[in-house]
Amino acid sequence: MPEMNLLEAIRQGLDEMMAADSRVFIFGEDVGKRGGVFRVTEGLYDKYGPMRVIDSPLAESVIVGACIGAAMNDMLPIAEIQFADFIAPAFNQIVQEAARIHYRSNGDWEVPLVIRVPYGGGIHGALYHSQSVEAFFAHVPGLKVVTPSTPYDAKGLLKSAIEDPNPVLFLEHKKTYRLIKGFVPEEDYRVPIGPADIKRPGEDLSVFSYGLMLHYCLEAAQTLAAEGVSVEVIDLRTLRPLDTETILASVRRTGKVLIVHEDNLFGGFGGEVAALIAEHAFEYLDGPVMRIGGPDVPAMPFAHSLEAAFMPSPASIAAAMRRLAAY
Amino acid sequence: MPEMNLLEAIRQGLDEMMAADSRVFIFGEDVGKRGGVFRVTEGLYDKYGPMRVIDSPLAESVIVGACIGAAMNDMLPIAEIQFADFIAPAFNQIVQEAARIHYRSNGDWEVPLVIRVPYGGGIHGALYHSQSVEAFFAHVPGLKVVTPSTPYDAKGLLKSAIEDPNPVLFLEHKKTYRLIKGFVPEEDYRVPIGPADIKRPGEDLSVFSYGLMLHYCLEAAQTLAAEGVSVEVIDLRTLRPLDTETILASVRRTGKVLIVHEDNLFGGFGGEVAALIAEHAFEYLDGPVMRIGGPDVPAMPFAHSLEAAFMPSPASIAAAMRRLAAY
Amino acid sequence: MTVSINEISASPGFGHDLPPHKLRDMLRYMLLARALDERMWVLNRAGKAPFVISCQGHEAAQVGAAFALSRGKDFILPYYRGLAMVLVMGMTPTEVMLGLFARATDPSSGGRQMPAHYGCRRLKIVTQSSPVGTQIPHAVGIGLAEKIKGGDAIAWVSFGEGTTSQGDFHEALNLTAVHRLPVIFQCENNEYAISVHQRQQMAVASVADRGIAYGIPGISVDGTDVLAVYEVTRRAVERARRGDGPTLIEARVVRMTAHSSDDNDRTYRPPHEIALVRHQDPIVRFVAQLREHGILSEADEQAMRAEVAAIVDQATEEAERAPMPEPETLYDHVYAPPRSRRHELRGGTN
Amino acid sequence: MTVSINEISASPGFGHDLPPHKLRDMLRYMLLARALDERMWVLNRAGKAPFVISCQGHEAAQVGAAFALSRGKDFILPYYRGLAMVLVMGMTPTEVMLGLFARATDPSSGGRQMPAHYGCRRLKIVTQSSPVGTQIPHAVGIGLAEKIKGGDAIAWVSFGEGTTSQGDFHEALNLTAVHRLPVIFQCENNEYAISVHQRQQMAVASVADRGIAYGIPGISVDGTDVLAVYEVTRRAVERARRGDGPTLIEARVVRMTAHSSDDNDRTYRPPHEIALVRHQDPIVRFVAQLREHGILSEADEQAMRAEVAAIVDQATEEAERAPMPEPETLYDHVYAPPRSRRHELRGGTN
Ligand SMILES: Cc1ncc(C[n+]2csc(CCOP(=O)(O)OP(=O)(O)O)c2C)c(N)n1
Ligand SMILES: Cc1ncc(C[n+]2csc(CCOP(=O)(O)OP(=O)(O)O)c2C)c(N)n1
Ligand SMILES: [Mg+2]
Ligand SMILES: [Mg+2]
């Protein structure tokens, strides 16, 4: 099994799906000759040509809108939004159109669309190249929202997303692109959309996370293990539809909960996880349902000093784990 | 004190503020001669003329974007989005611009902007004239989000919003426009942005709501009172910044929580309220933190049978209260 | 690039390449759309239909365009005034009335959407929503798919002149032009967006002028003249099928009613204008033309009107009898199931 | 309505109404912008500045425009290539470098934003963000406010040609035209949007052609000719102050660097083109013109370059010495406090 980083795993997934099905095409800014500003689509333009790897105009609404149309005309489009921060112009097309077309047509029309979205910070991208956007979209029925955190999951979930008959928002944490490496099988496989994954089993507390923060949680769990605390770390992987069963089952075992994401806390996705637990596993709780999220400021600043102050860290996560364990 | 409906209270608030300050102007679709599709701005065009009550082109992004510009040039603009369902094209201007300008300029620029947004269903508006959008915006630092549910609050909060130096999303539930009546003082007053309001004090359980659902909760509380259960009903009024203190204080007294909104449940605003309680009032909880929300379907359908199936009702709320009281 | 209607009228004799029975067919669809529409208002006033939004005054613009398109092959994205268009494309009057009454068997949405939000996959009528203009990028994407696949279907999309103020209009036309996609943009300009007059909406006299910004031919045509619209659409279709790309057509029409049954246009429209509108009725005009050219006798017209009235009666009755959606179906079709028709990979090695 | 540069060049003798010292001043700003910009790349390569995005090749387009505007009165909304513009408007080289180094005293954002996201209320430079095109509606709103108040300030806003594909461009120009607002739209067309060539971005040869869609005069000008840009902007300013409304100016410029320090333009730009760009340097051109007309001696030029180099050295040193933002300040300015300068109601009876 070859080792590769998360970015390479995604590229491989795209390549294999394009080879497998001529309906798959990529549409976005700079995805062609340039291979994307992160190089995710590098080589695909040369391999599949300008009608399957298409440089779009600088206009996110029509990137998504045209992909919706193409999906309704029997294609399997993959839209790339250059940075999550620039998905806002496409909010109308994603939320009011892609998400509602199947429902509003009473099941008559489908939108098999993948929207690839590099997101997240810690890469010195400042206010407008660091944002997390999952909370906005995970709230929307009709959408699926996927947040892989390892190369294996990324490739397997990407293939599932391309095969899914529904619109899937595929969120790729930019800092994991080259930082996170892992083994990816040679043979074809899928990771299904939906199930969470217990990345580290444990007994004393349950930690729920995804994306870059998942790795920080694993690091913190390692630290706590040395201190004699057994932390279960669960990678949510799919935020909508959420794997409520796996979440509640873990909480019923450990009785203690920490939810971690990078997005700002208030109104963030963690609230939903906490609320589900507080309602459906209340009797099993041995302590407050704790959350860690980015601070409630408009976005992550550029200056190193401020960016560092913004990002939750393995240390701050470990500290919360300790408090919870001691409760 | 004259009695009036919520719509009239808003109109009066607009009128008085326009009379008081020549910087206040209204910009939106059909707000002029037509007086708005709900008649909220009726009469203002005749009174203040076409340069202060301006019919915009059919383009929500520039409605908000131009108001941001005007706010930075010393005006106090009030943008009207005709229906909440049509705010999506302005998502970029609201979230990436209005909300972040003060922060990104390190406090140098301000955006004193009010965006009035009729929202909510139960008015036979179908998928695209019934939506609730508060969860999207209450997540965004830099924005304030206000959801009045009585004529008194609506007028008082509107005036506070117009005077606030920050962008305020002012959400008006369409079904309350003519349904909800109340006394409004002749003299000038304000309702501050922030504080929640205990609309009905009670001892056995705490119910948190806003908008139309607040009234359904009051109705249900009345039913429960007859059954000997004392329900405290708290009108959140402002969703961001949220009055966490009043919420937690109530929970510490009653130990039981029900959160009710019309928006679909998953990822909705109720999750944040539940999460705050599950973390910060955990020790006081005597039962699961319950939530009622709209079903997780893309939007509220047109057919009466389906619309009725969608909307939470005083009866379904009362049923939840009973379960909680019995816990 | 703006071609005026005069130039079009200068083309071959009356009816262009259309034989008399086709011309009568055109009229029949216009009458049918009108009769259905009028019935909807009656039902609305009677408290039986909570919402109506009209095609009245737009019939010629739509029937003219429809007869130049290929039914069942071309994709149609008609906005909420597109009743006449969807009738020609094969939606039945009963189906239309099922939508009005929000019945379970409404083919557009099973009673989920407001009336006049048409859609039917079988007829290649693409599901429409309420936020204006969102369908324009969809049409472009359909055209893009067609180009990638090497097909020769066309996407025809309509919208009002107010809607051209939306960013989606701009982004879509620009993209179509870059790739010379087979799309026809029909703007039905009735001079109003609810209460907002075109003067408040744009500083240009014709929406056709907007084509120049994209390198797309912009043609303004009298949209109450069904044959003129047919002719400009026929040329646009030829152009698109040849691979020469999109056309923007402005069909100048009249809004013969208030914006919708929720509106009262006397609050913003001068009375003399409301009166005038009646004199621009595209049906009156076409009847006169057909009569003049000996294609339609008085008896023909009477028979046609009677036939249409009977159809409308029957459609109304059938639709009223149809069942409402069951409350439990609220939860259906939030997600398309896996292994649906689109699921299996096609070709390749996987 | 598209006016070509030839017509502009046919206007009064060299330098138009500008006296020699103003012409030298123009050059000085161009040299200063270039020297600062080049220093930024040096600092980037040395690992001292994580991100650079250049003005190189755009200097003439901005300095020409800036000299036609009224500093401290008109509102400026310059996109991220607007270094030369903000220098003329009064931002100091040290302030620019404070932004590059993300220092606490950076006037644009206190180190919160990426470099080149300019803003300064005192100088009427409106805070800019990264999502392209969002500033265009702001400019329109500033113009609208000016019209409501009866003032005569102008809003000048710039953006790249790629950005004209965004819906916000369209919505903004349309609104401005309807109300004839005092706004100048400057599109700095360098033929690329990162790697995407103008051919892939639009099917028209000139962004100026887009004015016609709104009823706005569209003028295309050689943006490497500082005096030509000055002259078209001067006319646009006159027009706007007269109350005749907006102008769309396309300044054809060259992008002399990669898109930014994160880009490598050799992956998509042919080598001969990269070589050619050097020959379209607006500074070389202006120096030659001034020399030819006897306005600048070789010694003048040397002195100016030396002066500019010293300024850049000093600015760099000062800025490097300045402190980073304190971590706790992360939480500042999320909301403007009540009772701020905008709070008190003005006039009226309340
Ligand atoms: C994005 C959006 N904003 C506002 C509305 C409300 N609305 C419905 S129809 C309409 C006017 C449309 O005018 P036009 O495009 O000219 O079409 P017409 O109805 O005149 O045929 C408006 C403002 C909407 N449906 N969508
Ligand atoms: C809404 C949005 N989408 C994508 C980007 C990423 N991006 C930054 S600059 C740029 C190209 C801009 O091209 P152009 O407008 O021609 O300006 P230029 O850089 O060439 O001067 C892109 C795609 C962005 N900043 N904002
Ligand atoms: Mg219209
Ligand atoms: Mg460019």
Side-chain angles (χ1 to χ4, degrees):
Chain A
M1 258 199 324
E3 201 183 6
M4 61 182 71
N5 64 31
L6 192 133
L7 186 149
E8 290 158 342
I10 293 174
R11 186 191 295 142
Q12 222 179 55
L14 291 170
D15 190 359
E16 290 172 18
M17 293 301 278
M18 292 189 78
D21 193 321
S22 61
R23 294 176 301 173
V24 180
F25 74 99
I26 296 173
F27 191 52
E29 295 156 10
D30 305 291
V31 296
K33 271 189 215 159
R34 184 76 187 110
V37 296
F38 295 101
R39 305 288 170 282
V40 175
T41 57
E42 195 160 53
L44 300 180
Y45 178 87
D46 287 339
K47 190 161 172 190
Y48 298 103
M51 282 319 284
R52 292 191 63 202
V53 184
I54 311 173
D55 277 331
S56 72
L58 210 184
E60 285 75 11
S61 186
V62 82
I63 290 176
V64 174
C67 283
I68 291 172
M72 291 195 287
N73 190 4
D74 212 23
M75 300 294 287
L76 298 175
I78 301 175
E80 179 176 312
I81 299 293
Q82 199 161 78
F83 287 81
D85 316 61
F86 308 139
I87 203 169
F91 194 76
N92 197 29
Q93 284 290 347
I94 298 171
V95 172
Q96 300 295 356
E97 297 297 321
R100 311 210 199 279
I101 280 176
H102 189 63
Y103 190 76
R104 81 177 184 224
S105 66
N106 209 20
D108 196 26
W109 291 90
E110 291 173 5
V111 182
L113 163 63
V114 177
I115 307 176
R116 290 187 40 246
V117 188
Y119 79 105
I123 48 117
H124 215 52
L127 306 179
Y128 291 105
H129 296 79
S130 305
Q131 295 177 20
S132 296
V133 296
E134 66 273 18
F136 297 125
F137 297 103
H139 178 48
V140 180
L143 285 185
K144 298 189 176 182
V145 180
V146 168
T147 54
S149 63
T150 66
Y152 178 89
D153 288 348
K155 184 175 172 186
L157 279 164
L158 179 68
K159 288 189 167 190
S160 298
I162 295 171
E163 288 170 350
D164 200 288
N166 297 287
V168 181
L169 213 70
F170 195 83
L171 298 174
E172 307 167 1
H173 196 292
K174 300 193 290 288
K175 189 158 180 170
T176 66
Y177 268 158
R178 292 170 198 278
L179 183 70
I180 303 301
K181 297 189 174 65
F183 292 103
V184 174
E186 303 263 14
E187 57 281 7
D188 193 30
Y189 70 97
R190 303 287 180 275
V191 172
I193 294 179
D197 187 42
I198 303 180
K199 283 275 171 1
R200 179 190 175 105
E203 256 124 72
D204 300 332
L205 41 120
S206 302
V207 177
F208 303 101
S209 192
Y210 50 91
L212 177 67
M213 287 301 131
L214 187 270
H215 297 283
Y216 288 8
C217 289
L218 287 171
E219 209 177 313
Q222 189 77 30
T223 308
L224 272 274
E227 300 170 17
V229 181
S230 165
V231 178
E232 177 148 301
V233 180
I234 294 186
D235 184 356
L236 296 177
R237 282 204 300 207
T238 296
L239 305 189
R240 184 171 199 117
L242 185 67
D243 184 355
T244 316
E245 271 327 297
T246 299
I247 294 170
L248 295 178
S250 175
V251 177
R252 287 193 202 105
R253 272 190 288 104
T254 67
K256 291 186 176 174
V257 179
L258 174 65
I259 301 153
V260 183
H261 56 59
E262 180 181 318
D263 193 13
N264 63 291
L265 193 73
F266 190 90
F269 187 74
E272 182 57 36
V273 180
L276 285 169
I277 292 168
E279 179 155 5
H280 301 293
F282 173 71
E283 307 200 335
Y284 299 87
L285 284 175
D286 293 326
V289 180
M290 286 178 65
R291 286 184 299 162
I292 291 182
D296 270 292
V297 302
M300 201 179 300
F302 185 62
H304 266 301
S305 54
L306 299 174
E307 186 180 75
F310 184 103
M311 286 291 274
S313 66
S316 66
I317 295 169
M321 288 175 177
R322 260 178 228 117
R323 258 180 295 143
L324 197 56
Y327 187 90
Chain B
M1 260 200 318
E3 200 183 7
M4 61 182 71
N5 64 31
L6 193 133
L7 186 149
E8 290 159 343
I10 293 174
R11 186 192 295 142
Q12 220 180 57
L14 291 170
D15 190 0
E16 290 174 17
M17 293 301 278
M18 292 188 78
D21 194 321
S22 60
R23 293 176 301 173
V24 180
F25 74 100
I26 296 174
F27 191 53
E29 295 156 11
D30 304 291
V31 297
K33 272 190 217 159
R34 185 78 187 106
V37 296
F38 295 101
R39 305 289 170 280
V40 175
T41 57
E42 195 161 53
L44 301 179
Y45 177 88
D46 287 340
K47 189 160 173 190
Y48 298 103
M51 281 319 284
R52 290 189 65 201
V53 184
I54 311 174
D55 277 331
S56 72
L58 210 183
E60 285 76 11
S61 186
V62 82
I63 290 176
V64 174
C67 283
I68 292 171
M72 292 195 287
N73 190 4
D74 212 23
M75 301 294 287
L76 299 175
I78 302 175
E80 178 177 311
I81 299 293
Q82 198 160 79
F83 287 82
D85 317 60
F86 308 138
I87 202 169
F91 194 77
N92 197 29
Q93 284 291 345
I94 298 171
V95 172
Q96 300 296 356
E97 297 298 320
R100 311 210 199 280
I101 280 175
H102 189 63
Y103 190 76
R104 81 177 184 224
S105 66
N106 210 20
D108 196 26
W109 291 90
E110 290 172 7
V111 182
L113 163 64
V114 177
I115 308 176
R116 289 189 39 248
V117 188
Y119 78 105
I123 47 116
H124 216 51
L127 306 177
Y128 291 105
H129 296 80
S130 305
Q131 295 177 21
S132 296
V133 297
E134 66 273 18
F136 297 126
F137 297 103
H139 177 48
V140 180
L143 286 184
K144 298 189 176 182
V145 180
V146 167
T147 54
S149 63
T150 67
Y152 178 88
D153 287 348
K155 185 175 171 186
L157 280 164
L158 179 68
K159 289 189 167 188
S160 297
I162 295 171
E163 288 170 349
D164 200 289
N166 298 285
V168 180
L169 213 69
F170 194 84
L171 298 174
E172 307 167 1
H173 197 292
K174 300 194 290 287
K175 189 159 182 168
T176 66
Y177 268 157
R178 292 171 198 278
L179 183 70
I180 303 301
K181 297 188 172 67
F183 292 102
V184 173
E186 304 262 13
E187 57 282 8
D188 192 32
Y189 70 97
R190 302 288 180 276
V191 173
I193 294 178
D197 187 42
I198 304 180
K199 283 274 171 357
R200 179 190 174 103
E203 256 124 72
D204 300 332
L205 40 120
S206 302
V207 177
F208 303 101
S209 193
Y210 50 91
L212 177 67
M213 287 302 130
L214 188 270
H215 298 283
Y216 287 9
C217 289
L218 287 171
E219 208 178 314
Q222 189 76 29
T223 308
L224 271 275
E227 301 170 17
V229 181
S230 165
V231 178
E232 176 147 303
V233 180
I234 294 187
D235 185 355
L236 296 177
R237 283 203 302 205
T238 296
L239 305 189
R240 182 170 201 119
L242 185 67
D243 184 355
T244 317
E245 272 326 298
T246 299
I247 294 170
L248 295 178
S250 175
V251 177
R252 285 192 203 106
R253 273 191 287 104
T254 66
K256 291 186 177 176
V257 179
L258 174 65
I259 302 152
V260 183
H261 55 60
E262 179 182 319
D263 192 14
N264 63 290
L265 193 73
F266 190 89
F269 187 73
E272 182 58 37
V273 180
L276 285 169
I277 292 169
E279 180 156 4
H280 301 293
F282 173 71
E283 306 199 337
Y284 299 87
L285 285 174
D286 292 327
V289 180
M290 286 178 65
R291 285 184 298 162
I292 291 182
D296 271 291
V297 302
M300 201 179 298
F302 185 61
H304 267 301
S305 54
L306 299 175
E307 187 180 73
F310 184 103
M311 286 291 276
S313 66
S316 65
I317 295 169
M321 288 175 175
R322 260 178 228 116
R323 259 179 295 145
L324 198 55
Y327 188 90
Chain C
M1 296 220 205
T2 303
V3 177
S4 82
I5 176 59
N6 304 327
E7 190 184 322
I8 298 299
S9 296
S11 60
F14 179 76
H16 306 290
D17 58 348
L18 294 165
H21 77 272
K22 283 251 183 192
L23 294 171
R24 281 190 298 266
D25 224 24
M26 281 177 147
L27 177 63
R28 199 181 148 281
Y29 276 113
M30 290 168 67
L31 288 171
L32 180 59
R34 178 66 59 86
L36 271 166
D37 200 293
E38 286 174 344
R39 179 65 56 89
M40 291 180 193
W41 285 88
V42 172
L43 292 164
N44 175 261
R45 301 296 181 232
K48 289 188 171 184
F51 182 77
V52 178
I53 192 156
S54 267
C55 177
Q56 292 183 42
H58 291 231
E59 294 93 344
Q62 293 169 24
V63 170
F67 270 72
L69 292 163
S70 191
R71 306 175 211 187
K73 171 179 182 170
D74 295 328
F75 288 81
I76 310 298
L77 299 91
Y79 82 119
Y80 48 78
R81 300 205 191 279
L83 173 58
M85 171 54 76
V86 300
L87 289 171
V88 181
M89 286 299 144
M91 194 170 277
T92 69
T94 302
E95 288 174 332
V96 168
M97 284 304 194
L98 287 166
L100 182 76
F101 294 129
R103 294 309 200 245
T105 45
D106 153 36
S108 296
S109 79
R112 291 173 171 198
Q113 292 220 74
M114 283 181 150
H117 289 55
Y118 303 108
C120 180
R121 194 173 158 81
R122 186 175 45 83
L123 303 173
K124 293 212 169 163
I125 299 169
V126 178
T127 171
Q128 295 300 298
S129 65
S130 306
V132 300
T134 50
Q135 73 278 21
I136 314 179
H138 302 173
V140 175
I142 288 168
L144 181 64
E146 211 56 29
K147 183 167 178 185
I148 296 173
K149 293 191 287 187
D152 73 339
I154 288 170
W156 180 93
V157 59
S158 67
F159 43 85
E161 87 294 344
T163 298
T164 68
S165 296
Q166 287 281 348
D168 268 1
F169 166 84
H170 172 75
E171 297 190 8
L173 268 78
N174 183 52
L175 174 60
T176 318
V178 169
H179 292 279
R180 303 174 80 81
L181 301 176
V183 182
I184 297 173
F185 301 98
Q186 172 152 320
C187 176
E188 300 181 10
N189 184 350
N190 58 17
E191 293 187 358
Y192 282 94
I194 307 185
S195 73
V196 180
H197 193 271
Q198 183 181 344
R199 281 185 304 275
Q200 228 93 345
Q201 193 70 244
M202 61 188 82
V204 288
S206 166
V207 171
D209 290 342
R210 305 204 139 169
I212 300 172
Y214 311 104
I216 295 179
I219 300 176
S220 187
V221 60
D222 181 343
T224 65
D225 181 345
V226 63
L227 295 177
V229 177
Y230 169 75
E231 181 56 18
V232 300
T233 309
R234 200 186 54 73
R235 293 184 193 181
V237 166
E238 263 178 34
R239 193 180 132 79
R241 291 217 213 278
R242 264 202 317 267
D244 287 350
T247 304
L248 170 62
I249 298 171
E250 175 193 61
R252 299 187 312 272
V253 297
V254 283
R255 199 183 82 191
M256 297 180 66
T257 64
H259 172 74
S260 75
S261 55
D262 288 345
D263 183 34
N264 173 5
D265 57 352
R266 278 163 306 180
T267 58
Y268 54 84
R269 218 172 175 182
H272 67 270
E273 189 187 297
I274 296 183
L276 203 72
V277 155
R278 293 273 136 207
H279 298 289
Q280 297 169 275
D281 187 332
I283 293 182
V284 172
R285 177 177 184 165
F286 194 39
V287 165
Q289 283 180 311
L290 292 178
R291 196 68 61 77
E292 188 189 329
H293 289 82
I295 293 168
L296 186 83
S297 69
E298 169 113 37
D300 288 344
E301 188 190 340
Q302 292 315 325
M304 220 184 255
R305 288 191 185 270
E307 181 207 344
V308 155
I311 291 173
V312 171
D313 284 343
Q314 198 197 334
T316 307
E317 278 161 40
E318 273 180 34
E320 260 195 295
R321 273 201 310 273
M324 293 292 287
E326 293 298 330
E328 320 81 68
T329 64
L330 176 69
Y331 298 92
D332 294 348
H333 306 305
V334 177
Y335 293 98
R339 312 247 150 239
S340 76
R341 61 182 171 277
R342 304 188 149 271
H343 179 78
E344 318 82 45
L345 287 188
R346 212 184 273 169
T349 58
N350 231 11
Chain D
M1 296 221 205
T2 303
V3 178
S4 83
I5 175 60
N6 304 327
E7 191 185 321
I8 298 300
S9 295
S11 61
F14 181 75
H16 306 289
D17 58 347
L18 293 165
H21 76 272
K22 281 252 183 191
L23 294 170
R24 281 191 299 266
D25 224 23
M26 282 177 145
L27 178 63
R28 199 182 148 280
Y29 276 113
M30 290 168 69
L31 288 171
L32 180 57
R34 178 65 59 86
L36 272 167
D37 200 294
E38 285 174 343
R39 178 65 55 89
M40 291 179 193
W41 286 88
V42 171
L43 292 164
N44 175 261
R45 301 295 182 232
K48 290 188 171 185
F51 182 77
V52 178
I53 192 156
S54 267
C55 177
Q56 293 184 40
H58 292 230
E59 295 93 344
Q62 293 169 24
V63 170
F67 271 72
L69 293 163
S70 190
R71 307 176 211 186
K73 170 178 182 171
D74 294 329
F75 288 80
I76 310 299
L77 299 90
Y79 82 120
Y80 48 78
R81 299 206 192 278
L83 174 58
M85 171 55 75
V86 300
L87 289 171
V88 181
M89 287 298 143
M91 195 169 278
T92 69
T94 301
E95 288 174 332
V96 168
M97 285 304 195
L98 287 166
L100 183 76
F101 294 130
R103 293 309 200 246
T105 45
D106 154 34
S108 297
S109 78
R112 289 172 173 201
Q113 291 220 74
M114 282 181 150
H117 290 55
Y118 303 107
C120 180
R121 194 173 158 83
R122 186 176 45 84
L123 303 172
K124 293 209 168 167
I125 299 169
V126 178
T127 171
Q128 294 300 298
S129 66
S130 306
V132 300
T134 49
Q135 74 277 21
I136 314 179
H138 302 174
V140 175
I142 288 168
L144 181 64
E146 211 54 30
K147 184 169 177 183
I148 297 172
K149 293 190 288 187
D152 72 340
I154 288 169
W156 181 94
V157 58
S158 67
F159 44 84
E161 87 293 344
T163 299
T164 68
S165 296
Q166 287 281 348
D168 268 1
F169 166 83
H170 171 73
E171 297 190 8
L173 268 78
N174 183 53
L175 174 61
T176 318
V178 169
H179 292 279
R180 303 174 80 84
L181 302 176
V183 183
I184 298 173
F185 301 97
Q186 172 151 320
C187 176
E188 301 180 11
N189 183 352
N190 59 17
E191 294 188 357
Y192 281 94
I194 308 186
S195 73
V196 179
H197 193 272
Q198 183 182 344
R199 281 185 304 273
Q200 227 93 348
Q201 193 71 243
M202 62 187 83
V204 288
S206 166
V207 170
D209 290 342
R210 306 204 137 168
I212 299 172
Y214 311 104
I216 294 180
I219 300 176
S220 186
V221 59
D222 182 342
T224 65
D225 181 345
V226 64
L227 295 178
V229 177
Y230 168 76
E231 181 56 19
V232 299
T233 309
R234 200 185 55 72
R235 294 185 193 182
V237 166
E238 263 179 33
R239 193 180 132 78
R241 290 218 213 277
R242 265 201 316 268
D244 287 351
T247 304
L248 169 63
I249 297 171
E250 175 193 59
R252 298 187 311 274
V253 297
V254 283
R255 198 183 83 191
M256 297 181 66
T257 64
H259 172 74
S260 75
S261 56
D262 288 343
D263 184 33
N264 173 6
D265 57 352
R266 278 164 306 180
T267 58
Y268 55 83
R269 218 172 175 181
H272 69 268
E273 188 188 298
I274 296 184
L276 203 72
V277 154
R278 293 272 137 209
H279 297 289
Q280 297 169 275
D281 187 330
I283 293 182
V284 172
R285 178 178 182 164
F286 194 40
V287 165
Q289 283 181 311
L290 291 178
R291 195 67 62 75
E292 189 189 328
H293 289 83
I295 292 168
L296 185 83
S297 69
E298 168 112 37
D300 288 343
E301 186 190 342
Q302 291 315 327
M304 219 184 257
R305 287 190 186 270
E307 181 208 343
V308 155
I311 290 173
V312 171
D313 283 344
Q314 200 197 333
T316 308
E317 277 161 40
E318 273 181 34
E320 259 193 295
R321 273 201 311 272
M324 293 293 286
E326 292 298 329
E328 319 81 67
T329 64
L330 176 68
Y331 298 92
D332 294 347
H333 307 304
V334 177
Y335 293 99
R339 313 245 149 241
S340 76
R341 62 182 171 277
R342 301 186 153 274
H343 179 77
E344 318 81 46
L345 287 187
R346 213 183 275 167
T349 59
N350 230 12

